[in-house]
């Protein structure tokens, strides 16, 4: 979910009914081909790891640019709820990514809607990160997100230490973006996204539940092993091909969730539901994967 024109105008104090804008109608033009394209791109993303390493920086940038259109157009709360309804999804984790997606925007949009679960991401430009995190939790945030690749910061960074200390005190789960994607300047240092960097945190804060979003993307074995070795580490299955999700469901059935940091909106939820539905036959496992593990981690 991204701040659209409605939010921008509201912040500028302009009262304008954007529902009447022709943009709302324009959204539907070319929707089907856009969705189909995005679904193809989602499948392609899961298989990029088979390409030569040298090609990845170029291919990943081209891929991100090719899919951003549909996500940018279908970005509102209404779009998200519509996608959830179409795909049988009861609740969504909705994560801030300041300054592009401000924490205040996410908290406001999720307020009074028990289907949307807000998660905050505190930038290192904030003076009192501990206090800011406490305030956001008071306003309804259920978890903290850390995106070291986007921040370009190392795991030893003092900003992260302060946030983890506060999360530990508040018994707040922490979602970490994992996976190296070469989309600079959006991600300042792609390598900082590798799950291996966060192992010291799992040891230092055994009472924090950590979620490795995207299962470390091109290197899922590392994420699966961390889930096996640390009782406080979980993951979601986004960006993974069917065969990896299948393997993870067998090895770490109580540690893997459908999604936290993705599948966003557009046609991405449909893509992932189709992929996981083909694997989940056992009803008890389905309950665990789609619902119970997330309920436990995020105390829903
Ligand atoms: Zn992510």
């Amino acid at each position: 979910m991204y701040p659209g024109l409605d939010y921008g105008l509201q912040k500028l104090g302009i009262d304008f009914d954007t529902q009447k804008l022709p943009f709302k109608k324009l959204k539907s033009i070319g929707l089907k081909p856009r969705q189909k394209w995005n679904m193809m791109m989602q499948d392609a993303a899961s298989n990029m790891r088979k390409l030569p390493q040298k090609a990845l920086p170029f291919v990943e940038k081209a891929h991100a640019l090719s899919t951003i259109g549909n996500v940018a157009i279908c970005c509102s709360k209404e779009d998200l709820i519509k996608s959830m309804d179409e795909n049988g999804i009861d609740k969504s984790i909705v994560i801030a990514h300041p300054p592009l997606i401000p924490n205040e925007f996410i908290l406001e949009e999720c307020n009074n809607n028990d289907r949307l679960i807000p998660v905050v991401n505190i930038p290192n430009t904030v003076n009192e990160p501990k206090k800011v995190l406490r305030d956001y939790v008071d306003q309804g945030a259920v978890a903290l997100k850390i995106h070291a690749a986007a921040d370009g910061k190392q795991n030893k960074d003092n900003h992260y230490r302060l946030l983890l200390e506060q999360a530990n005190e508040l018994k707040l789960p922490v979602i970490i973006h994992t996976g190296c994607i070469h989309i600079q300047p959006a991600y300042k240092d792609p390598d900082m996204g590798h799950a291996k960097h966060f192992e010291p945190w799992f040891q230092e804060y055994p009472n924090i539940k950590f979620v490795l979003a995207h299962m470390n993307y091109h290197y899922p074995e590392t994420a699966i092993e961390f889930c096996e070795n640390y009782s406080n580490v979980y993951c979601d299955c986004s960006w993974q091909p069917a065969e990896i999700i299948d393997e993870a469901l067998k090895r770490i059935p109580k540690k893997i969730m459908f999604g936290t940091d993705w599948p966003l909106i557009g046609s991405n939820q449909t893509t992932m539901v189709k992929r996981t539905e083909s694997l989940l036959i056992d009803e008890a496992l389905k309950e665990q994967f789609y619902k119970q593990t997330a309920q436990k981690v995020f105390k829903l």
Side-chain angles (χ1 to χ4, degrees), residues 145 147 176-178 181 187 213-214 239 261-262:
K145 161 85 177 287
H147 201 316
I176 309 172
H177 165 94
T178 61
I181 318 166
Y187 291 6
H214 323 304
W239 300 357
D261 199 12
W262 194 265

Side-chain angles (χ1 to χ4, degrees), residues 100-117:
L100 184 66
I101 311 172
N103 288 304
E104 290 73 17
F105 166 75
I106 291 299
L107 290 163
E108 271 173 42
E109 292 292 281
C110 296
N111 199 12
N112 299 323
N113 190 328
D114 63 2
R115 295 182 70 190
L116 303 180
I117 302 154

Side-chain angles (χ1 to χ4, degrees), residues 201-236:
W201 294 359
F202 312 150
Q203 295 165 346
E204 203 174 330
Y205 302 97
N207 295 321
I208 293 182
K209 289 187 170 69
F210 291 97
V211 179
L212 308 182
H214 323 304
M215 220 195 275
N216 207 31
Y217 199 18
H218 296 319
Y219 305 98
E221 180 60 27
T222 310
I224 295 173
E225 281 177 8
F226 283 147
C227 288
E228 285 175 327
N229 296 339
Y230 293 96
S231 62
N232 58 333
V233 178
Y234 297 77
C235 66
D236 74 35

Side-chain angles (χ1 to χ4, degrees), residues 13-279:
I14 302 167
D15 187 15
F16 189 80
D17 188 359
T18 51
Q19 296 294 331
K20 287 183 186 154
L21 285 176
F23 178 68
K24 292 271 166 186
K25 281 186 187 143
L26 286 174
K27 263 187 188 182
S28 59
I29 297 171
L31 183 64
K32 283 264 149 61
R34 283 202 318 262
Q35 285 181 331
K36 207 163 185 188
W37 172 258
N38 264 32
M39 287 169 88
M40 272 167 48
M41 287 297 103
Q42 285 293 298
D43 285 334
S46 302
N47 290 300
M48 274 186 206
R49 66 195 59 165
K50 292 169 188 162
L51 295 170
Q53 284 290 311
K54 277 187 179 167
L56 283 179
F58 171 75
V59 177
E60 284 173 350
K61 263 191 202 122
H63 177 270
L65 285 171
S66 78
T67 56
I68 203 130
N70 196 42
V71 170
I73 294 169
C74 297
C75 66
S76 69
K77 178 157 78 176
E78 291 71 32
D79 293 318
L80 175 60
I81 300 279
K82 186 167 173 274
S83 176
M84 288 162 67
D85 288 342
E86 285 169 359
N87 291 291
I89 295 172
D90 297 329
K91 293 182 188 242
S92 280
I93 302 269
V94 188
I95 308 180
H97 191 87
L100 184 66
I101 311 172
N103 288 304
E104 290 73 17
F105 166 75
I106 291 299
L107 290 163
E108 271 173 42
E109 292 292 281
C110 296
N111 199 12
N112 299 323
N113 190 328
D114 63 2
R115 295 182 70 190
L116 303 180
I117 302 154
V119 172
V120 291
N121 179 344
I122 319 275
N124 60 9
T125 47
V126 163
N127 281 333
E128 293 180 278
K130 284 186 163 189
K131 184 187 175 303
V132 171
L133 180 56
R134 279 197 308 273
D135 289 347
Y136 286 148
V137 169
D138 287 343
Q139 291 167 53
V142 300
L144 168 73
K145 161 85 177 287
I146 291 183
H147 201 316
D151 298 341
K153 299 285 176 196
Q154 308 241 341
N155 59 3
K156 291 190 181 76
D157 195 273
N158 193 46
H159 178 66
Y160 295 149
R161 185 184 59 77
L162 293 172
L163 288 174
L164 290 169
E165 279 175 9
Q166 187 61 76
N168 196 33
E169 258 176 53
L170 297 170
K171 298 187 171 56
L172 200 68
V174 176
I175 299 172
I176 309 172
H177 165 94
T178 61
C180 309
I181 318 166
H182 302 81
I183 47 170
Q184 295 99 323
Y187 291 6
K188 290 189 185 120
D189 188 347
D191 181 62
M192 288 301 110
H194 199 297
K196 68 184 178 191
H197 298 302
F198 309 109
E199 189 173 11
W201 294 359
F202 312 150
Q203 295 165 346
E204 203 174 330
Y205 302 97
N207 295 321
I208 293 182
K209 289 187 170 69
F210 291 97
V211 179
L212 308 182
H214 323 304
M215 220 195 275
N216 207 31
Y217 199 18
H218 296 319
Y219 305 98
E221 180 60 27
T222 310
I224 295 173
E225 281 177 8
F226 283 147
C227 288
E228 285 175 327
N229 296 339
Y230 293 96
S231 62
N232 58 333
V233 178
Y234 297 77
C235 66
D236 74 35
C237 75
S238 56
W239 300 357
Q240 293 302 330
E243 62 272 19
I244 297 293
I245 302 171
D246 195 35
E247 186 189 336
L249 283 166
K250 290 183 177 105
R251 287 172 58 183
I252 47 167
K254 292 183 178 170
K255 294 294 198 81
I256 178 171
M257 290 175 268
F258 172 67
T260 56
D261 199 12
W262 194 265
L264 276 181
I265 37 185
S267 50
N268 297 318
Q269 289 183 340
T270 312
T271 307
M272 286 311 289
V273 167
K274 275 190 181 160
R275 198 176 295 170
T276 52
E277 275 299 286
S278 65
L279 302 169

